[in-house]
Amino acid sequence: MGISNLKSLPLILISILMIVSAWSSPSTAASTNSSSSSHDRSFQQCFSSGFQHSYNSTSGSLIFSKNNSAYASLLKSSVRNLRFFNSSEPQFIISPFHESHVQAAVICSKKHGMQVRVRSGGHDYEGLSYVSDVVPFIIIDLFNLRSISIDVENESAWVESGATLGELYYKIAEKSNAYGFPAGSCPTVGVGGHLSGGGFGTLFRKYGLAADNVMDAKIVDADGKLLDRKSMGEDLFWAIRGGGGSSFGVILAWKIRLVSVPPGVTIFNVQKTLEQGATEHLHKWQAIASKLHEDLFLHAVVGVANEPSNGGSKTIQISFVSLFLGPAERLLLLMKVSFPELALERNNCIEMSWIQSVLYFAGFPIRSPLQVLLDRSPQSKSFSKAKSDYVKESISKAGLEGLWQRLMEEQTSLLILTPYGGKMSDISDSETPFPHRSGNLYKIQYSVTWDSDNETQQHIGWMRSLYAHMEPYVSKSPRAAYLNYRDLDLGQNDNNNASYAQASTWGLKYFKNNFKRLVRVKTVVDPSNFFRNEQSIPVFPSPQ
Ligand code: FDA
């Protein structure tokens, strides 16, 4: 039984468990031995005596030190990017079962000078949830805090941060097929990082970002206090919906608004190579994709392929992949008006339920059992580097051809072009810290993957030169970027501490004019800059 379920146990039984837990150390995995430093032992003692809630050791271990045999596998369990597979090691990994365990971890880390990294799904592109150059540090890994309760009657749900998107979609589908949630496509992404950084998916042109659909949240702040929306206040509640959670505290849970989905949706995937007019099609796509009906999401995935009709020589292949919230007949009419050049036909379209479209965009066959969404282990692991850009004016055909030349230098390069418009244009730039709203045609995610550490510098170098090449074609002053596609090339805080001016280099790109308000909120809620990392929001210096 998970400790979260203890809430439902009779009080008497909870009291007995509390007494038992007070007698036995909860740190079953982090047994003290001679190699532990006295500093580590003090931390452990502080932690063990620091929480009031009972701990039932049959649920699993609560704190792992380097001496524990499960430490290494736990550390690597949700590492998605192999670039960080063998990075720095935390003194402890704490895997809380109850909110008071998080409070104790924060209070004792502060007291004993430990840095804290918070991990939900571990998908951070730069590994910031589990890598730290500043030592000593601990990881608070929230994978045990992942309960989800769906309230169909009130069209809402409470979801703990350690849940994955796949677990959330599964739980919604278990209760009703009339509702969904507008978040990302990858089922192993964690709710904690995703919602606090924005979170977009196939429903975002109709309903906005995941962060736009948050109604309440629970957070442990830098003083170890547990706060909800009312007690944290609207400024902090604003900041954690797109400003990144890791600068402000440990977000334990989110109350989210469920959104309506129709009984049937339609998907298609039409592919074009250069030889089949991919450039002309993409040029047209740029003009129409952000203006399409909000029920129609049509993104373009650009990769390198071999063209059979041309002796297997390298070419660019663009997949135009769509989710339409309605039947195929209506989709065909819309496409005929807006994008007749794609020549979409009925047999390109597959009708299905919304949850099957979730399977489809996650890369599973649509008839897979829904339980595949519960598998928390990443579908694939590789070395990777990604970057993002926003496009406000169509790129010329000559510009696209130049881009194709660059991409063909890297067999595993991939671009995902995500159209904006719809609901995203109706929300003001300052509603949440996520500022990329009206005026954007689409976002580009650039990515490259590789298999061996020896090649890392070569591929990262290539990615940087591609990014430099794209400068004339994308947003300017600032050249905007998406926080959830974290990119440390945009700038880093020195020693995890930065002046406002230093942090502006990356802060204005992610947050534009909202950066200053984020700094103001940070200065109020965490003046000692306890929650900090390479790209955390800085504090204003105190007046002399
Ligand atoms: P992780 O645990 O690594 O955390 C990311 C950051 O948030 C870290 O700084 C961490 O400290 C902080 N954090 C995490 N939990 C916290 C908590 N509870 N309290 C405070 N801070 C916390 N994005 C998107 O919008 N749409 C998409 O479709 C996809 N798809 C996608 C696929 C794949 C394969 C990857 C690797 C990534 C994506 N993303 C995405 C990007 C994703 O949204 C982004 O990496 C999220 O931050 C990941 O959240 P995790 O909780 O998994 O990451």
Side-chain angles (χ1 to χ4, degrees), residues 118 120-124 129 142 185 190 193-194 200 249 251 482 484 486:
V118 183
S120 289
H123 281 48
D124 192 282
S129 54
L142 297 172
S185 304
H194 191 69
F200 79 93
I251 302 151
Y482 176 34
N484 265 347
R486 183 166 338 255

Side-chain angles (χ1 to χ4, degrees), residues 250-394:
V250 184
I251 302 151
L252 299 178
W254 310 78
K255 184 178 182 185
I256 57 172
R257 186 181 303 114
L258 302 179
V259 302
S260 302
V261 291
V265 305
T266 309
I267 57 112
F268 70 78
N269 177 353
V270 173
Q271 298 177 331
K272 300 284 177 194
T273 60
L274 292 182
E275 292 70 14
Q276 294 164 330
T279 308
E280 289 71 24
H281 283 97
L282 194 76
H283 196 251
K284 176 69 193 272
W285 175 89
Q286 294 184 102
I288 56 100
S290 63
K291 300 184 186 73
L292 290 169
H293 191 282
E294 63 181 18
D295 284 345
L296 179 47
F297 171 84
L298 174 56
H299 74 172
V301 182
V302 184
V304 181
N306 296 313
E307 174 62 58
S309 71
N310 201 4
S313 63
K314 265 191 199 171
T315 187
I316 292 292
Q317 184 177 64
I318 304 183
S319 303
F320 294 94
V321 191
S322 173
L323 171 72
F324 177 62
L325 298 172
E329 299 316 320
R330 220 179 111 217
L331 168 63
L332 285 165
L333 288 176
L334 287 173
M335 288 295 291
K336 202 167 172 188
V337 173
S338 305
F339 199 176
E341 297 83 353
L342 201 61
L344 187 70
E345 292 178 3
R346 179 64 183 84
N347 63 13
N348 298 129
C349 302
I350 311 172
E351 292 179 330
M352 59 184 74
S353 65
W354 176 75
I355 194 68
Q356 284 179 314
S357 79
V358 168
L359 293 172
Y360 179 83
F361 278 90
F364 296 112
I366 61 168
R367 309 231 175 272
S368 308
L370 292 188
Q371 280 77 3
V372 295
L373 295 172
L374 303 179
D375 186 353
R376 292 176 67 93
S377 47
Q379 287 153 299
S380 65
K381 289 186 178 192
S382 55
F383 295 83
S384 64
K385 175 69 191 164
K387 287 179 174 289
S388 59
D389 258 325
Y390 282 86
V391 177
K392 289 173 177 282
E393 285 170 27
S394 282

